[in-house]
């Protein structure tokens, strides 16, 4: 490969200056002229019929401009199942559901008006566990589910309240279990957690009274998708809707959903053209936007005495909460890789996304993989232990390598998994004594690791344009949202590389759907790969125009030209170089512009078959990672302290190594939080008990151990410069790696997250009373909550 | 339940507030200002809503995240916990006042170069807290940095790059001092 000048370099983030001076404008900062302030009345019941809403007193309060309820906003929306009203319609399905909203001259007035709205409810039975909600005979949370508009990917389930059933069928698991020497079955539980992006959610909306055009200012990470969803909901043509993106103060999946947006739009229809700002405070953000799916995972495996995996059956109950949101696709994309990155001849997976009367679950960094990895990777360790095999040897025997045919029927290529396994375990000193060979009394030390493969949303499309003006300044028009991941820098590096211009000559336009070409979404770790390719193609096209013009100016052929530092010159000629700006001025005049466009779709990509879970190209690329942990557990308090963490990630090609490390570290911290203390606690009335940063424990600077990151580069043949994605996997194997280390330290395993001191303490006490059964290779079924 | 049925703080609030304004004199980023404020409004809202200075961020409004940190008489405070009515005579520095002329403050420059900001929403608060720390302690250890920043939450970075940036800033400031002393 040619030498690269910008790609592969740790170039300083191009958005950093705005961020360190406080001049970057985020969604929460935005002020619009003449705007009104919105506030929301939320449901206090988990599942109830609305008998009466009285908004009279609120309407009469001076300063109030609009009060809306479901009646005034008769629209429903949803990505794949149109089940969610803008404001509750006749029924509420979780505590925290928006029931009514007010727009007023200031927030205090709006809040005071909200308090004057009276609602009368009639309670219905409510479900707070996905397993309970799909018991035969359970009351339906959505009576009209059958008549909702749905996309073709939806497969309804066989039991009540199941909104999506994912199936994967390969071989014959029953036969596989019969062939096996050891069969082990376990149940794992992952609770709901919050995205807890530091910027709370907000949206601003305006409806132009003349044209009917709806404009929404919101830090949404999928503006083109929500534009489509809004158009469908309102029955408007797409050109009547415009989304404008300010900076986003973190999202991690939560800000791709339409939650505040719907309320702002509903209000804006009633304010005669005045824009409306709706801000959720921290508690509202925790409860009334979205959460990460709770999951209950049953996993059963059959292995041969020599450690060969023969069969695996997985059944997952995804707690969707009160509305479908992205649950169908989380169920599909999260269940599909749940058996883990291993060669297994007989596989059966059933994923059920189940409605409950809890806050909605939606996209969260990792899209289901963190939950199933918690189950699969601990299960792998326990299998190894019962076989009397080393956990690393057991994995190496079964793990995906280049050329393997996966259990979903795809021939895998560019698999860097084994390398991540070897490097991470080596760095943690797997199989070697720990650094602390004589820990203090009552402290137990352990090591563990876990690995994952994470697919990306496929097939999807990114389009971009690259413009060069007569000053030689380069502008990228691309619909990738800067959510903190560094896309502005990465895409600028790619454009700079193709054009050979200094990085400070390159800028990226802010996102406005009226102006910027289409992009599917800034999700699923897809941007570097898809948008990177699109920007690369666009830059090449722009470059070709420059070189064509320059060739005629220099009176030579294009092949004789070379580019560097924003200039073009003839190879081996003494003639002075011309800057891009000069070329454009001379050929097109001082107002001249050249522009190239580029698009990228992973053409071979095909969604998995809904009946078998098979696809020859289920994902444009796969992200592979192994993380390892060393922990110290205090027997007296149950507290788990991390001594160190190692993360080895296959990124294909690190376009910006510093940014890769930063993404991995951030992911690790999130994974550590999920492993040790994060949980949205919901009581038996459906109320979130800890919707604040005081009670919901995010990791602080004091909670983190030494983190070592290892970048593995196993290039992807179609990725730009070989790059894959990286945004999500950082947190996916973390809890399982820590869980395995804790089990290694204690000799007893914990099946439920988080590994809070209390849970660990009781696990220690229980194991003292009944020490775990001696390890044998006889068929055993531990944790015998059986398959239904 | 306090999280959803948020009680109105001022039931029957008439939408006017002229009668309870209070005049205060403050120094904001080095400039003297005379303001008329509603005494129970928070400093955070005063900055963001009344003065249009949105560099100071709101992450929780309840004193739990540190995004709103500003310097009050040189000490870091959560501006969401300070009432405007208490501010007469106050000296306040916000992120907008950190630059030294056109130059970035070393703390800003270090965060910029070392990847201390990802989404950047916690960044202004982190920078103000770091500034306060380095004023009191020119050469903080990693432990001291971790402790000083423990009230400033960040969901993006895992803090590693932030801590590195603080160390670099400390170094840059020490070097600057030495050159200044020599020069
Ligand atoms: S906004 Fe003040 S501490 Fe969070
Ligand atoms: S950089 Fe996003 S919260 Fe710190």
């Amino acid at each position: 490969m040619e030498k690269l000048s910008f790609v592969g370099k740790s170039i300083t983030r191009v958005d950093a200056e705005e961020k360190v001076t406080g001049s970057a404008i985020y969604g929460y900062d935005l002020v619009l002229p003449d705007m009104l302030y919105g506030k929301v009345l939320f449901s206090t019941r988990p599942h109830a019929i609305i008998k009466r809403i009285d908004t009279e007193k609120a309407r009469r309060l001076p300063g109030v401009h609009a009060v809306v309820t479901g009646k005034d906003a008769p629209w429903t929306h949803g990505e794949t199942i149109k089940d969610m009203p803008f404001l509750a319609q006749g029924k509420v399905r979780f505590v925290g559901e928006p029931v009514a909203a007010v727009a007023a001259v200031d927030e205090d007035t709006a809040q005071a008006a909200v308090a004057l709205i009276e609602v009368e409810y009639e309670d219905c039975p409510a479900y707070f566990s996905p397993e309970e909600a799909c018991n035969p005979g359970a009351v339906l949370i959505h009576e009209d589910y059958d008549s909702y508009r749905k996309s073709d990917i939806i497969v309804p389930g066989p039991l009540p309240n199941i909104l999506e059933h994912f199936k994967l069928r390969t071989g014959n698991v029953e036969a596989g279990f019969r062939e096996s020497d050891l069969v082990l079955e376990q149940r794992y539980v992952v609770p709901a957690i919050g995205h807890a992006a530091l910027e709370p959610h907000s949206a601003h909306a305006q409806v132009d009274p003349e044209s009917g055009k709806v404009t929404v200012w919101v830090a949404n990470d999928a503006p083109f998708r929500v534009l489509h969803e809004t158009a469908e909901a309102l029955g408007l043509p797409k050109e009547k809707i415009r989304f404008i993106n300010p900076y986003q103060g973190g999202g991690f999946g939560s800000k791709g959903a339409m939650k505040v947006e719907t309320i702002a739009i509903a209000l804006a229809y009633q304010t005669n053209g005045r824009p409306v700002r709706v801000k959720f405070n921290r508690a509202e953000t925790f409860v009334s936007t979205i959460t990460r799916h709770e999951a209950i995972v049953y996993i059963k495996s059959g292995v041969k005495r020599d450690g060969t995996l023969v069969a695996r059956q997985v059944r997952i109950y995804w707690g969707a909460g009160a509305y479908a949101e992205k649950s169908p696709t989380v169920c599909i994309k999260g269940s599909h890789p749940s058996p883990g990155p291993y060669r297994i001849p007989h596989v059966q997976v059933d994923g059920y996304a189940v409605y409950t009367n809890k806050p909605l679950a939606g996209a969260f960094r990792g899209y289901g993989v963190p939950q199933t990895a918690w189950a699969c990777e601990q299960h792998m360790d326990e299998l190894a232990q019962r076989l009397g095999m080393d956990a690393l040897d057991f994995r190496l025997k079964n793990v995906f390598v280049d050329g393997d045919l996966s259990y979903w029927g795809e021939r895998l290529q560019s698999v860097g998994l084994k390398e991540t396994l070897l490097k991470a375990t080596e760095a943690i000193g797997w199989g070697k004594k720990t650094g602390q060979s004589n820990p203090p009394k009552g402290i137990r030390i352990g090591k563990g690791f876990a690995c994952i493969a994470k697919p990306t949303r496929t097939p999807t499309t990114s389009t971009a344009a690259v413009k060069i003006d007569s000053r030689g300044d380069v502008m990228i028009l691309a619909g990738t949202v800067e959510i903190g991941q560094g896309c502005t820098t990465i895409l600028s590096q790619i454009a700079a590389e193709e054009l050979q211009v200094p990085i400070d000559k390159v800028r990226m336009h802010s996102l406005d759907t009226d102006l910027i070409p289409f992009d599917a979404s800034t999700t699923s770790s897809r941007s570097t790969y898809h948008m990177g390719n699109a920007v690369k193609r666009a830059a090449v096209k722009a470059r070709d125009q420059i070189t064509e013009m320059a060739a005629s100016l220099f009176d030579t052929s294009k092949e004789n030209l070379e580019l560097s530092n924003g200039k073009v010159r003839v190879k081996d000629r003494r003639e002075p170089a011309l800057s891009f700006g000069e070329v454009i001025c001379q050929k097109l005049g001082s107002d001249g512009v050249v522009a190239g466009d580029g698009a990228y779709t992973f053409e071979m990509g095909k969604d998995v078959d809904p009946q078998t879970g098979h696809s020859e190209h289920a994902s444009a690329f796969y992200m592979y990672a192994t993380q390892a942990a060393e922990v110290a557990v205090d027997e007296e308090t149950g507290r788990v302290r991390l001594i160190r963490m190692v993360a080895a990630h296959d990124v294909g090609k690190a376009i910006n190594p510093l940014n890769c490390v930063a993404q991995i570290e951030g992911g690790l911290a999130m994974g550590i939080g999920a492993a040790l203390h994060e949980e949205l606690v919901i009581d038996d009335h459906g109320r979130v008990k800890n919707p604040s940063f005081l009670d919901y424990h995010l990791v602080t600077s004091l909670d983190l151990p030494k983190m070592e990151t290892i970048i593995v580069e196993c290039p992807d043949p179609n990725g730009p410069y070989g790059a894959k994605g990286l945004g999500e996997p950082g947190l996916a194997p973390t809890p399982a790696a820590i869980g395995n280390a804790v089990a290694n330290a204690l000799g007893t395993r914990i099946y439920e997250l988080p590994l809070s001191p209390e849970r660990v303490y009781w696990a220690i006490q229980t194991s003292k009373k009944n020490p775990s059964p001696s390890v044998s290779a006889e068929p055993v079924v531990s944790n015998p909550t059986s398959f239904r | 339940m306090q999280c959803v049925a948020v009680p109105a703080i001022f039931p029957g609030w008439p939408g006017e507030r002229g009668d309870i304004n209070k005049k205060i004199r403050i120094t904001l980023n080095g400039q003297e200002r005379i303001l008329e404020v509603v005494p129970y409004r928070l400093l955070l809202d005063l900055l963001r809503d009344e003065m249009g200075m949105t560099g100071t961020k709101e992450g929780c409004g309840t004193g739990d995240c540190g995004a709103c940190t500003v310097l009050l008489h040189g000490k870091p405070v959560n501006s969401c916990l300070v009432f405007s009515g208490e501010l007469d005579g106050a000296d306040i520095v916000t992120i907008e006042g950190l630059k030294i002329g056109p130059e970035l403050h070393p703390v800003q420059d270090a965060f910029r170069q070392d990847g201390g900001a990802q989404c950047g929403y916690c960044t202004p608060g982190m920078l103000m807290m770091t500034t306060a720390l380095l004023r009191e302690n020119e050469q903080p250890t990693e432990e001291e940095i971790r402790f000083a920043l423990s009230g400033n939450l960040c969901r993006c970075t895992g803090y590693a790059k932030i801590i590195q940036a603080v160390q670099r800033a400390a170094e840059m400031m020490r070097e600057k001092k030495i050159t200044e002393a020599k020069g």
Side-chain angles (χ1 to χ4, degrees), chain A residues 28 38-40 42 107 111 197-202 260 278-289 691-693, chain B residues 2-7 9 58-62:
Chain A
Y28 220 61
K39 276 281 169 191
V40 182
F42 297 99
E107 270 192 18
Q111 188 64 71
L198 255 276
E199 180 201 21
H201 289 230
S202 67
V260 198
V278 182
K279 277 182 166 185
F280 276 6
N281 63 27
R282 178 52 55 190
E284 292 162 354
T285 297
F286 263 120
V287 176
S288 301
T289 61
S692 73
F693 283 146
Chain B
Q2 137 262 16
C3 75
V4 276
V6 189
I9 322 160
E58 174 171 2
C60 67
T62 48

Side-chain angles (χ1 to χ4, degrees), chain A residues 12-13 16-17 19-22 24-26 28-29 42-44 61-62 95-96 106 108-109 111-112 115 194-196 198-200 248-250 252 279 282-284 287 483-484 658 661-663 665-666 669-670 678 687-688 691 693-694 698-702 704 707, chain B residues 1-15 17 40-41 48-49 54-55 57-60 64-65 67 95-96 99 104 108 111-115 117-124 127 143 145-147 149-150 153-161 163:
Chain A
T12 302
R13 286 182 69 116
E17 177 141 355
K19 289 176 173 176
V20 298
T21 54
I25 300 291
Y26 294 79
Y28 220 61
D29 299 333
F42 297 99
S43 160
T44 53
L61 190 72
V95 177
D106 58 34
D108 290 345
T109 308
Q111 188 64 71
H195 298 71
L198 255 276
E199 180 201 21
Q248 186 190 100
F252 314 109
K279 277 182 166 185
R282 178 52 55 190
E284 292 162 354
V287 176
I483 55 178
L658 176 74
V661 171
Q663 277 299 303
E665 286 172 349
M670 215 174 224
E678 283 186 45
R687 298 174 296 199
V688 177
F693 283 146
L694 189 62
L698 286 190
V699 285
T700 73
S701 51
L702 290 172
L704 293 173
M707 304 190 279
Chain B
M1 213 227 351
Q2 137 262 16
C3 75
V4 276
V6 189
I9 322 160
F10 314 106
W13 175 247
R17 52 168 101 114
Y40 58 75
R41 287 237 159 230
R48 287 173 57 84
D49 296 342
T54 54
K57 299 300 178 207
E58 174 171 2
C60 67
D64 302 319
C65 77
I95 184 72
E96 287 91 349
K99 267 184 149 183
L104 291 181
Q108 290 173 308
F111 269 67
R112 183 183 72 88
Q113 289 183 49
D114 284 1
Q118 286 187 22
C119 84
Y121 201 76
C122 69
T123 309
L127 292 171
E143 266 322 288
I145 297 170
R146 284 186 185 271
F147 189 76
L149 296 180
S150 61
L153 297 177
C154 175
R155 188 58 153 167
C156 299
T157 61
Y159 305 98
K161 297 274 167 288
I163 288 156

Side-chain angles (χ1 to χ4, degrees), chain A residues 10 164 233 270 274 298 318 349 463:
Chain A
S10 290
E164 165 70 13
Q270 313 284 337
R274 284 180 77 171
Y298 292 87
W318 302 97
V349 180
T463 60

